Amino acid sequence: MNNYRSKLNSMNLYHQCVFIAFSLVVFACGPTQSINPQQDQTTSLYEIDEENAVHRLSRGIKHQTVSLEDTAEINFEPYEEFISFLEENYPNFHQKTERKRIGEFSLLFKWEGSNPNLQPALLMGHYDVVPSSADTDSLWSYAPFGGEIREGFVWGRGALDDKSGIMSILEAVEYLSERDFQPERTFYIALHHDEEVGGVQGAQQVAAYLEEEGVELKFLVDEGLPIAEEILEGVEVPLAMIGVAEKGSVNIELTYRQDGGHSSMPPRSTVIGTLSRAVNRIERRPMKAHYSGLILETLEPLIPYMSFTQRLAFNNTWLFRGLIKRKLSRNIATNAALRTTAAKTIFEAGFKENVLPIEGRVIINFRVHPNDTIEDVRRYVRNRIDNEDINIRVLERARNPSPVSNTHAAPYQMLKRTIEESFDQALISPSLFVAASDSRHFHNLTSNIYRFRPIRATHDDRPRVHGIDERISIDNYMEMIQFQIRLIKNSAGKME
Ligand SMILES: [Zn+2]
């Protein structure tokens, strides 16, 4: 447990996971039009055994399927136990599907459809979780791996990310197969085991396997954006955000060398000064904001709920584009949706008070907007720092942003309809996922990739993901199961 803090830190740096984007659409606003629609009235069509479903989730959370960067340090016993737990608790699911283990611990289930002419769909998620640390365990209201059912919630690691996600899928298939529902379309269900550390053994191998098999998917749904509540002050309509694209990521290293020497006769600028100036130039003028395409589609359903002056601005972008960009850039969440961001995460130089540093380095983590590329980022850095003596290096594991899924495609429309049926008061927007998900390994298999979980998220919930007191409400979990059943039914046949 002593190592947990450093492990946790290194994982946070890597940060594969989801819900940074909880706060996507909050921009400071004046008084808004007072619209208070009635409480969301979800139609409960399917009779789910709530007690059993909730207990299964609780027990699922108790399995400590913790991912660590250093695989040698992972205890895989709980992984094996979790796999057996699923087998025992979802018997119909296991009977109706064919299971393949990939990368040792990732599971790919195939639920064969009756019509081989329909392209298969893939529902996926991950069952690994980030560790909890000995330092913070005591701050939890209930033990992080206790799976406690209290106060109307199920508590513990994975309650939001992503055990509720995958187990709601399993509940749905169990429910349907128990009632002899036979889909026309083949469904694959993938449960990955290393999303939190990059998905190289899991999702990447599963995608490679499907590709080898010649599978072409109609669509896939992975974890991703939630249903955000409290989007605008005074507006109680939740906004369901479907992640139709995700950002790329590239680490750029700046290094600068200088003759060393004694600190009593320093040059005008040391390594530290020169690199600081470069960083400052990047901070002063970030990469270009893209107020076009996806961001417009994301904001569009919100416009009727904005204040008069905001509506005026958003309806007359030909005149107010600059103002809107400035406003959106001020909020860290909307800023991240608008442009490629630059986080200066590592700065190293100097080792002794009276010795001039010979070399310094800075690492900047850029999250690349879909309108930019890695090459754009490199060029921007070169031009912006305007110093040929600083060496610029693009580090390994850089990835370009994902393509943007087409919102006119039949699977998007089906998903939208499913959300409308399940959350009848919710607004729905295609959105940019600013973090990373396992879905990025599947671009060769389909162009219809959606990152979405019907988790109701308020501002209060944001720090719970990878943080303290992660929990999901029982009501919301039941909604998730209802949603997954509808999703399968709505996509089980021909869609267009
Ligand atoms: Zn996740």
Side-chain angles (χ1 to χ4, degrees), residues 272-289:
I272 293 173
T274 303
L275 284 175
S276 301
R277 214 162 19 253
V279 166
N280 183 256
R281 285 181 64 83
I282 285 170
E283 291 196 338
R284 280 214 320 265
R285 195 177 305 157
M287 284 185 78
K288 186 173 170 277

Side-chain angles (χ1 to χ4, degrees), residues 232-276:
L232 289 173
E233 209 179 304
V235 180
E236 288 175 19
V237 199
L239 178 71
M241 293 182 289
I242 302 174
V244 293
E246 79 183 35
K247 279 184 144 182
S249 177
V250 53
N251 293 312
I252 291 199
E253 181 191 61
L254 308 181
T255 45
Y256 181 63
R257 287 182 68 86
Q258 209 176 34
D259 292 336
H262 196 270
S263 63
S264 55
M265 282 195 294
R268 193 182 159 85
S269 180
T270 68
V271 163
I272 293 173
T274 303
L275 284 175
S276 301

Side-chain angles (χ1 to χ4, degrees), residues 434-458:
V434 301
S437 70
D438 264 346
S439 71
R440 70 178 181 280
H441 300 294
F442 290 81
H443 291 143
N444 289 342
L445 289 148
T446 178
S447 53
N448 299 317
I449 294 183
Y450 311 114
R451 304 146 190 91
F452 175 72
R453 288 278 185 255
I455 291 177
R456 293 176 183 270
T458 64

Side-chain angles (χ1 to χ4, degrees), residues 288-291 295 325 328-329 334-340 369:
K288 186 173 170 277
H290 302 285
Y291 189 66
I295 186 86
K325 278 204 246 180
L328 296 177
S329 298
T334 40
N335 182 55
L338 208 58
R339 57 159 51 87
T340 296
H369 186 278

Side-chain angles (χ1 to χ4, degrees), residues 16-19 126 128 160-162 195-196 223 436 465-466:
Q16 288 306 314
C17 230
V18 201
F19 292 80
H126 64 95
D128 61 322
L160 294 166
D161 179 18
D162 175 38
E195 190 275 346
E196 297 290 1
E223 64 173 346
V465 177
H466 292 202

Side-chain angles (χ1 to χ4, degrees), residues 176-469:
L176 290 168
S177 46
E178 204 178 347
R179 284 154 186 80
D180 287 324
F181 175 81
Q182 169 62 52
E184 277 183 68
R185 185 185 305 283
T186 293
F187 283 89
Y188 285 100
I189 293 119
L191 311 182
H192 300 127
H193 75 282
D194 64 346
E195 190 275 346
E196 297 290 1
V197 290
V200 175
Q201 296 304 317
Q204 197 173 313
Q205 307 305 323
V206 170
Y209 166 78
L210 289 172
E211 224 175 310
E212 263 169 44
E213 294 285 296
V215 173
E216 283 176 28
L217 297 170
K218 184 73 181 168
F219 70 94
L220 85 77
V221 182
D222 192 10
E223 64 173 346
L225 292 165
I227 299 178
E229 301 193 320
E230 306 166 2
I231 302 153
L232 289 173
E233 209 179 304
V235 180
E236 288 175 19
V237 199
L239 178 71
M241 293 182 289
I242 302 174
V244 293
E246 79 183 35
K247 279 184 144 182
S249 177
V250 53
N251 293 312
I252 291 199
E253 181 191 61
L254 308 181
T255 45
Y256 181 63
R257 287 182 68 86
Q258 209 176 34
D259 292 336
H262 196 270
S263 63
S264 55
M265 282 195 294
R268 193 182 159 85
S269 180
T270 68
V271 163
I272 293 173
T274 303
L275 284 175
S276 301
R277 214 162 19 253
V279 166
N280 183 256
R281 285 181 64 83
I282 285 170
E283 291 196 338
R284 280 214 320 265
R285 195 177 305 157
M287 284 185 78
K288 186 173 170 277
H290 302 285
Y291 189 66
S292 60
L294 187 50
I295 186 86
L296 298 183
E297 286 189 69
T298 304
L299 293 173
E300 204 230 278
L302 290 171
I303 294 175
Y305 299 96
M306 291 177 181
S307 69
F308 174 73
T309 43
Q310 285 175 330
R311 278 206 311 279
L312 190 71
F314 280 94
N315 285 327
N316 295 282
T317 46
W318 58 275
L319 184 59
F320 295 109
R321 186 180 298 267
L323 180 81
I324 292 170
K325 278 204 246 180
R326 278 199 297 282
K327 185 112 179 154
L328 296 177
S329 298
R330 264 184 236 138
N331 174 293
I332 54 168
T334 40
N335 182 55
L338 208 58
R339 57 159 51 87
T340 296
T341 53
K344 280 63 67 178
T345 48
I346 296 176
F347 197 141
E348 290 171 344
F351 65 96
K352 197 167 186 304
E353 301 87 332
N354 60 355
V355 175
L356 297 174
I358 294 173
E359 189 177 68
R361 72 174 196 137
V362 177
I363 292 183
I364 308 174
N365 176 240
F366 287 88
R367 294 300 174 115
V368 190
H369 186 278
N371 290 23
D372 297 326
T373 62
I374 293 169
E375 182 47 31
D376 291 334
V377 175
R378 202 197 55 78
R379 204 176 313 121
Y380 155 83
V381 173
R382 170 53 67 215
N383 293 338
R384 197 57 209 136
I385 62 177
D386 194 29
N387 184 341
E388 293 294 326
D389 297 328
I390 294 178
N391 185 48
I392 298 172
R393 191 161 71 99
V394 174
L395 300 186
E396 278 173 25
R397 300 211 289 185
R399 58 172 195 274
N400 271 311
S402 77
V404 182
S405 302
N406 179 359
T407 55
H408 298 291
Y412 181 88
Q413 294 302 323
M414 176 281 302
L415 180 58
K416 188 166 179 254
R417 180 161 59 87
T418 307
I419 299 171
E420 280 162 1
E421 287 168 6
S422 312
F423 303 89
D424 61 1
Q425 296 287 326
L427 304 171
I428 301 167
S429 271
S431 302
L432 173 62
F433 187 46
V434 301
S437 70
D438 264 346
S439 71
R440 70 178 181 280
H441 300 294
F442 290 81
H443 291 143
N444 289 342
L445 289 148
T446 178
S447 53
N448 299 317
I449 294 183
Y450 311 114
R451 304 146 190 91
F452 175 72
R453 288 278 185 255
I455 291 177
R456 293 176 183 270
T458 64
H459 300 307
D460 174 51
D461 295 318
R462 202 185 327 153
R464 296 181 192 276
V465 177
H466 292 202
I468 292 159
D469 276 350

